[in-house]
Amino acid sequence: SQTIHQWPATLVQPVGSPLSLECTVEGTSNPNLYWYRQAAGRGLQLLFYSVGIGQISSEVPQNLSASRPQDRQFILSSKKLLLSDSGFYLCAWSRQSYGTEAFFGQGTRLTVV
Amino acid sequence: AQSVAQPEDQVNVAEGNPLTVKCTYSVSGNPYLFWYVQYPNRGLQFLLKYITGDNLVKGSYGFEAEFNKSQTSFHLKKPSALVSDSALYFCAVRDIQGTYKYIFGTGTRLKVLA
C-alpha cells in the first residue's frame, strides 16, 4: 500500500530563518506531487506541483521554492521566512491518471515569529 | 478554467437528521469531482469521487454524493448525521487540461449538534 510522510508536524521559526519541509511517498512510482498551504483553517492554496523529477510548476509567486530531487521526494524551501509564511502546509500525491484522487500527508503547522 | 464553489461557510444539523453540503462546479469537458474531509490539525481524507457512470456515488463513513449535470452540482449527503461528522469538508475538481492540478472549494464547516 502507499503511504505519504510529511515532517515535521509543527515548526516555530524566527523571521529571516531558512525553511525546509520534506515529503516522501512510499509504495508507488512516478507520482504527481503537490504542496498546498492552508491559512486560518479554511481554503487550500496550491503552491507547487510536480509531474516528474526536476519538473516543478509554481502557482503563486512568493517567498517559497520547491524541489524534487528524487521520484518520491518533494521539498518545500525558503531562504528567509516572512511572518506571512505562517500556515498549515500540506503535501499530497496522486497517480498520473485524471480519475484518481489525491492523498494527503498529515501537514506541518509553521509559525513564523 | 476549472473551478468549484461551496456556497455555505457553515452548515448546522441535528444529530440523526440528514445532512447536505453543497458544491457546484464549472469545467470544460467531463468533470472529475471529489469530496474530502478534514479534522482539526490533520490532512485531508478522501471520501468519494465521481468519474463517470451512476450519478449517485457512495463513499466512506456512510457518505454519498449526487452528481447533477444539468445543475452542475455535486452535493455531499448523509442520511443520518453523527456528532463525529463535525469537520471541514472540501469539494474539488481535477484539472484535465494538462496540469493534473486539484482545484479545491473554500470549504464548508459542518457542525452536528447533539
Side-chain angles (χ1 to χ4, degrees):
Chain A
S1 64
Q2 300 84 23
T3 55
I4 179 169
H5 302 281
Q6 185 182 345
W7 66 93
T10 60
L11 190 59
V12 179
Q13 291 285 93
V15 169
S17 63
L19 173 73
S20 181
L21 301 181
E22 188 164 342
C23 173
T24 60
V25 180
E26 296 178 355
T28 189
S29 59
N30 197 29
N32 293 330
L33 296 170
Y34 308 85
W35 278 111
Y36 286 88
R37 178 168 59 198
Q38 186 177 28
R42 292 311 297 249
L44 295 169
Q45 179 187 34
L46 178 61
L47 301 175
F48 302 94
Y49 67 96
S50 172
V51 299
I53 296 174
Q55 300 179 60
I56 309 295
S57 296
S58 174
E59 285 294 293
V60 182
Q62 59 210 329
N63 187 41
L64 302 169
S65 62
S67 61
R68 184 171 177 173
Q70 301 180 41
D71 181 44
R72 291 169 290 174
Q73 183 184 29
F74 205 24
I75 298 172
L76 183 68
S77 303
S78 174
K79 292 182 179 178
K80 290 185 178 181
L81 284 168
L82 305 172
L83 287 174
S84 57
D85 292 324
S86 294
F88 193 51
Y89 289 81
L90 291 159
C91 181
W93 76 273
S94 74
R95 294 181 178 87
Q96 297 282 347
S97 170
Y98 284 120
T100 57
E101 60 272 25
F103 300 92
F104 283 79
Q106 291 304 298
T108 297
R109 173 75 58 192
L110 172 65
T111 303
V112 182
V113 296
Chain B
Q2 323 281 65
S3 66
V4 291
Q6 294 182 245
E8 303 157 317
D9 281 346
Q10 181 160 324
V11 170
N12 295 328
V13 63
E15 187 175 28
N17 282 2
L19 70 87
T20 299
V21 182
K22 296 180 180 178
C23 173
T24 58
Y25 66 89
S26 175
V27 303
S28 302
N30 294 324
Y32 294 90
L33 298 162
F34 306 83
W35 274 104
Y36 288 84
V37 60
Q38 185 183 32
Y39 296 98
N41 296 310
R42 304 299 296 272
L44 276 66
Q45 295 179 34
F46 168 73
L47 286 177
L48 51 79
K49 65 183 177 184
Y50 173 82
I51 305 302
T52 187
D54 290 342
N55 290 339
L56 186 63
V57 178
K58 294 188 182 297
S60 306
Y61 312 118
F63 284 94
E64 57 190 26
E66 186 172 8
F67 173 72
N68 188 315
K69 188 172 183 178
S70 63
Q71 297 184 7
T72 62
S73 66
F74 188 54
H75 299 335
L76 181 69
K77 300 182 179 185
K78 188 174 183 181
S80 178
L82 300 172
V83 172
S84 57
D85 292 330
S86 298
L88 188 57
Y89 290 81
F90 289 98
C91 180
V93 64
R94 189 97 190 259
D95 183 8
I96 61 171
Q97 296 177 329
T99 68
Y100 295 101
K101 294 186 292 186
Y102 293 86
I103 299 159
F104 286 83
T106 52
T108 298
R109 192 165 302 281
L110 173 67
K111 189 170 184 179
V112 181
L113 307 170

